[in-house]
Amino acid sequence: MTETVGSALRHIRKGRGESIVAVAKATHTSPASFTKWENDQTVPSERSIRKLADYYDMAPTSLLALAYPTKYATPTEQLSMAGKTLIRAEDLFSSDTVLTYDGHALPDDRKQLIAAFTAGLFLRSKQSN
């Protein structure tokens, strides 16, 4: 799965145990903007990414490559994404999505069970890295 800039920002923030409001205030950003970034509704500007990287005491290159892959991703990263459809796992389980198997819509309880299992796989993967 390809990570998005929003999921990376959320992972960093939660890993530090900070709230959206605290990070937004410290980086002179509105909490509403930060929420939109984390939910991949909008992409932070390069300037905002650099401010966040400075706040998190990290190099901005990895975040910039996620937000602006054609400008900042390495040629290898660009090739690995070329011609592929990016699907966020979160979108598979949203209330607006109908998940099907073998041509039949899955009931909500099955969809929730699959979502919980998938979340567990991702958490386990992050813990082993």
Side-chain angles (χ1 to χ4, degrees), residues 4-97:
T4 64
V5 69
S7 63
L9 291 173
R10 183 181 308 106
H11 179 73
I12 295 166
R13 179 184 58 78
K14 286 187 172 190
R16 291 172 50 120
E18 295 178 309
S19 71
I20 287 176
V21 173
V23 175
K25 184 176 181 179
T27 58
H28 307 286
T29 311
S30 76
S33 291
F34 203 87
T35 300
K36 287 180 182 180
W37 297 340
E38 282 196 359
N39 291 326
D40 291 311
Q41 294 172 335
T42 60
V43 175
S45 68
E46 292 179 48
R47 181 174 176 249
S48 294
I49 289 174
R50 291 180 192 284
K51 284 189 337 187
L52 288 164
D54 186 51
Y55 174 74
Y56 288 135
D57 194 29
M58 62 183 286
T61 51
S62 61
L63 291 174
L64 286 166
L66 288 171
Y68 303 97
T70 56
K71 187 172 182 179
Y72 291 99
T74 65
T76 304
E77 292 169 328
Q78 289 177 9
L79 282 176
S80 71
M81 292 187 289
K84 297 189 178 175
T85 302
L86 176 65
I87 299 174
R88 294 175 2 133
E90 299 93 331
D91 293 341
L92 287 174
F93 308 114
S94 78
S95 60
D96 297 333
T97 304

